[in-house]
């Protein structure tokens, strides 16, 4: 599986270098700066591409169909950019690892010294952390955008932020607060505590955000890792038009935050607050994520979607649906 992920990432990187050099006419030094690579690495990639027969009159890669899907997703107007990895398995864990690898490669190419990287918790963000590797240390600050939930590695956003910063060569801040306060007034008190407010204010100034998109439609949905809703509460969500979880918030099918009591107790930035971020990267894959992804994209919160081929094609096929 790791070899397949690495093959896809390497070929995608090679494709990007070739387009910039042979189609756009960029110098190798310009490409190196744009992609966070050394000039010698760019030179080696071009040489390898020549040896493998990828450089002819036109550039040919095995993943041209994926680039076409990416263009179609961007053409919907729901998202500015898309990164689509091949679907190599129906297994959710395998699929998420593949998408995490693609998102990690995108981060490694696009993060710059001085960036503030805001992150949510979740399995998708954890998959990105697991796959992340950079050629040189990047001086970034990693900051949680939400409080945390103890008990599972992917719900402990402080741990994810710390690991992310370590892999990037940057530093992280910790948000010492739960994701859910016991009451709405307690939430207001926590949000105004000096240490919490400092982290939240930095999150509001994030230049890049990396977030997951949660589902609420199946018993194993990721939202219920955050809060164990009672059976009656779960049953009422679809009737309220709730389709997704985003930054811990329950979100309607058209992207607006739901008027649900738990949303009033969240120690987290609101989805509309991260619209100010220059680049919001959402990572999600799987059949149960199609509706949630479509809903969050309709809210205009996301600028870059990283997903897999099957999820992307289903999103495109159902884009005109109201559900």
């Amino acid at each position: 599986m790791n070899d397949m992920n690495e093959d896809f990432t390497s070929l995608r990187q090679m494709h990007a270098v070739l387009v910039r050099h042979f189609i756009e006419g960029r110098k190798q030094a310009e490409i190196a700066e744009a992609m966070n690579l050394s000039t010698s690495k760019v030179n080696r990639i071009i040489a390898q591409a020549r040896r493998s027969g990828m450089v002819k009159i036109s550039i040919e890669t095995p993943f041209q169909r994926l680039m076409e899907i990416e263009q179609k997703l961007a053409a919907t107007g729901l998202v500015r950019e898309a990164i689509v990895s091949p679907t190599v398995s129906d297994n959710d864990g395998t699929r998420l690892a593949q998408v995490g690898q693609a998102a990690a490669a995108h981060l490694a190419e696009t993060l710059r010294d001085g960036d503030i990287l805001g992150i949510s918790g979740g399995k998708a963000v954890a998959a990105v952390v697991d796959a992340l590797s950079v050629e040189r240390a990047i001086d970034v600050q990693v900051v949680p955008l939400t409080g945390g939930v103890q008990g599972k590695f992917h719900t402990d956003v402080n741990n994810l932020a710390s690991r992310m910063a370590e892999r990037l060569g940057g530093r992280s801040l910790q948000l010492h607060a739960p994701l859910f306060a016991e009451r709405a007034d307690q939430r207001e008190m926590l949000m105004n505590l000096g240490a919490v407010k400092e982290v939240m204010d930095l999150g509001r100034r994030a230049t890049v955000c990396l977030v997951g998109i949660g589902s609420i439609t199946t018993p194993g949905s990721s939202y219920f890792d955050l809060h164990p809703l009672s059976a009656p509460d779960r049953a009422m969500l679809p009737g309220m038009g709730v389709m997704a979880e985003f930054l811990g918030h329950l979100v309607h099918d058209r992207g607006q935050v739901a008027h649900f009591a738990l949303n009033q107790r969240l120690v987290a930035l609101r989805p509309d607050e991260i619209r100010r971020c220059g680049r919001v990267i959402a990572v999600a894959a799987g059949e149960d994520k199609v509706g949630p992804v479509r809903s969050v994209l309709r809210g205009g919160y996301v600028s870059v979607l990283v997903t897999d081929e099957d999820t992307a094609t289903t999103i495109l096929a159902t884009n005109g649906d109201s559900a």
Side-chain angles (χ1 to χ4, degrees):
M1 177 61 211
N2 286 337
D3 289 342
M4 188 170 298
N5 284 346
E6 292 170 3
D7 288 346
F8 166 70
T9 302
S10 297
L11 283 168
R12 183 183 182 85
Q13 185 181 68
M14 186 178 291
H15 177 91
V17 168
L18 294 176
V19 168
R20 284 172 166 86
H21 187 58
F22 292 102
I23 304 299
E24 298 176 1
R26 298 196 195 184
K27 296 178 181 178
Q28 293 183 21
E30 294 175 334
I31 298 170
E33 181 178 358
M35 297 181 64
N36 266 4
L37 301 173
S38 64
T39 304
S40 59
K41 174 72 178 255
V42 172
N43 183 272
R44 289 197 301 272
I45 289 173
I46 293 173
Q48 182 183 350
R50 289 182 184 276
R51 289 194 302 270
S52 66
M54 288 179 67
V55 180
K56 302 176 183 177
I57 296 174
S58 60
I59 297 171
E60 299 178 0
T61 78
F63 298 109
Q64 184 60 39
R65 73 183 189 282
L66 301 179
M67 312 305 168
E68 293 171 356
I69 294 172
E70 292 173 358
Q71 292 168 3
K72 289 178 181 178
L73 282 169
T76 65
L78 294 174
V79 68
R80 189 171 70 212
E81 181 182 351
I83 297 169
V84 178
S85 70
T87 301
V88 297
S89 171
D90 290 334
N91 179 273
D92 287 341
T94 302
R95 186 183 297 199
L96 194 57
Q98 178 86 9
V99 172
Q101 182 82 27
H106 177 71
L107 273 182
E109 288 181 5
T110 58
L111 281 175
R112 295 292 181 265
D113 291 336
D115 273 337
I116 300 170
L117 173 60
I119 69 167
S120 72
K123 294 176 183 177
V125 173
V128 178
V129 173
D130 288 341
L132 193 58
S133 176
V134 293
E135 284 200 350
R136 65 166 185 87
I138 307 175
D139 182 18
V140 298
Q141 281 186 291
V142 184
V143 55
L145 300 173
T146 75
V149 175
Q150 298 297 315
K152 297 186 178 182
F153 73 95
H154 59 274
T155 62
D156 186 348
V157 68
N158 281 334
N159 178 261
L160 291 177
S162 178
R163 289 173 55 211
M164 174 80 76
E166 182 179 356
R167 287 179 178 256
L168 289 170
R171 57 199 186 282
S172 66
L173 274 73
Q174 304 286 286
L175 182 59
H176 298 295
L179 178 59
F180 289 98
E182 292 183 7
R183 302 180 309 276
D185 61 336
Q186 187 186 73
R187 182 258 184 196
E188 294 305 314
M189 180 191 71
L190 286 170
M191 291 288 287
N192 286 295
L193 282 176
V196 174
K197 188 175 186 301
E198 178 184 0
V199 177
M200 289 296 188
D201 284 345
L202 188 63
R204 292 183 180 97
R205 293 175 16 229
T207 52
V208 181
C209 291
L210 178 71
V211 296
I213 296 175
S215 61
I216 53 91
T217 55
T218 60
S221 291
S222 52
Y223 182 76
F224 306 126
D225 290 333
L226 305 177
H227 195 285
L229 280 181
S230 65
D233 283 340
R234 291 191 189 200
M236 69 184 290
L237 292 179
M240 295 173 58
V242 173
M243 181 60 71
E245 172 268 321
F246 189 64
L247 292 180
H249 293 74
L250 292 169
V251 174
H252 281 301
D253 59 354
R254 289 290 172 181
Q256 69 273 35
V257 173
H259 294 293
F260 194 71
L262 279 177
N263 282 348
Q264 312 306 314
R265 291 165 43 194
L266 277 167
V267 181
L269 292 188
R270 300 187 310 273
D272 63 284
E273 290 184 285
I274 67 167
R275 283 200 186 106
R276 308 168 191 168
C277 179
R279 186 155 44 97
V280 179
I281 305 165
V283 185
E287 183 179 352
D288 66 330
K289 295 296 180 75
V290 171
V293 168
R294 200 170 59 233
S295 300
V296 171
L297 294 188
R298 285 170 173 165
Y301 309 117
V302 173
S303 48
V304 181
L305 174 66
V306 187
T307 190
D308 71 309
E309 184 176 5
D310 282 0
T311 307
T313 53
T314 307
I315 290 170
L316 287 170
T318 58
N319 185 41
D321 296 349
S322 58

